[in-house]
Amino acid sequence: PAAMRLGVNSSKGLIDLTIAPLNVGVLYVFAMAGQGIVGAAIAGWSSDNKFSLMGALRAASQMVSYEVAMGLTLIGAMMVYGTVRLDDMVRWQGEHTWGIFVQPLAFILFYTAATAENKRIPFDLPEAESELVAGYSTEYSGMRYVFFFFAEWANVFVMCGIASALFLGGWQLPFVEPLTQETSFALQVAGALVFQLKSWLLVFVVIWIRWTLPRVRV
């Protein structure tokens, strides 16, 4: 292909690791992430518990508000990159510079809004222990609670991966020439590992904030 995606070189050509390379790119990710609002709202409403209902309403309003903020922070980045496709954005950063240096304020706002959209401290109003017991998940235990827990952390990993691709160069290696179709297999594997490392670093910061700012129970 004319535009190389991160893949593996072989004698038969490039193996594309993208499952479904959609032209809408990051917009599709936000559309799917927005479905979590419905889950939180229905979970609290169906619990027949006033604290759960209050937590669901707070969760829905907070998630909608911060998803709008996340979308607005990407407008400047998309204008700079000239595309909504994540792989094209990463390639642009490899040819020029990382997005965090082009749009530093957008990175800060995006990361803050992503933390709030995932209901992490200090934005844990939907499930504040000292006010609402556990919010919309009060009536759920066992595997039902685990589903909520997994979904929340999956969203954290996805948003950190998006932030890594948008602002931290994705799979591009620092101080190394941009990865192309002629790049060696070892460098391409290193690029995939570097992308994971960047994403995990952002996840660690989310956890770090949680450790630093505990919610005090009265």
Side-chain angles (χ1 to χ4, degrees):
M4 177 264 180
R5 303 186 185 93
L6 179 63
V8 180
N9 277 321
S10 67
S11 58
K12 297 182 180 180
L14 189 68
I15 300 175
D16 192 355
L17 298 183
T18 306
I19 298 176
L22 303 177
N23 290 329
V24 291
V26 69
L27 302 181
Y28 180 80
V29 178
F30 277 94
M32 292 297 100
Q35 303 304 311
I37 301 172
V38 181
I42 294 179
W45 173 74
S46 61
S47 295
D48 194 21
N49 182 308
K50 62 182 179 181
F51 293 104
S52 298
L53 180 59
M54 291 172 61
L57 296 176
R58 292 167 70 163
S61 60
Q62 177 171 315
M63 294 171 73
V64 169
S65 302
Y66 283 103
E67 282 192 1
V68 171
M70 289 173 61
L72 292 176
T73 58
L74 298 183
I75 294 178
M78 289 187 291
M79 292 174 64
V80 172
Y81 301 143
T83 180
V84 296
R85 291 176 59 104
L86 291 170
D87 51 349
D88 291 338
M89 292 179 179
V90 174
R91 279 192 290 273
W92 187 96
Q93 296 175 74
E95 297 171 358
H96 300 84
T97 184
W98 288 4
I100 191 173
F101 301 114
V102 181
Q103 295 277 321
L105 182 59
F107 170 73
I108 296 174
L109 294 176
F110 179 88
Y111 193 66
T112 304
T115 304
E117 197 269 338
N118 287 306
K119 306 175 291 296
R120 307 296 300 172
I121 282 182
F123 306 99
D124 63 332
L125 294 179
E127 47 197 21
E129 295 95 337
S130 59
E131 302 171 16
L132 296 173
V133 186
Y136 57 85
S137 60
T138 300
E139 300 294 332
Y140 297 89
S141 60
M143 283 304 299
R144 292 181 177 87
Y145 173 75
V146 170
F147 282 131
F148 283 105
F149 193 76
F150 280 169
E152 178 179 332
W153 277 102
N155 201 12
V156 170
F157 275 88
V158 169
M159 289 305 171
C160 289
I162 297 296
S164 175
L166 288 171
F167 299 103
L168 299 181
W171 62 76
Q172 301 293 348
L173 304 174
F175 312 111
V176 177
E177 289 295 324
L179 300 183
T180 63
Q181 188 169 356
E182 289 74 27
T183 302
S184 66
F185 175 74
L187 276 180
Q188 294 195 32
V189 172
L193 295 177
V194 164
F195 174 75
Q196 294 290 328
L197 182 61
K198 293 174 183 177
S199 302
W200 292 338
L201 178 61
L202 294 178
V203 172
F204 172 75
V205 173
V206 172
I207 300 173
W208 194 1
I209 294 173
R210 173 64 177 85
W211 293 338
T212 309
L213 301 173
R215 174 173 284 277
V216 179
R217 180 176 297 190
V218 178

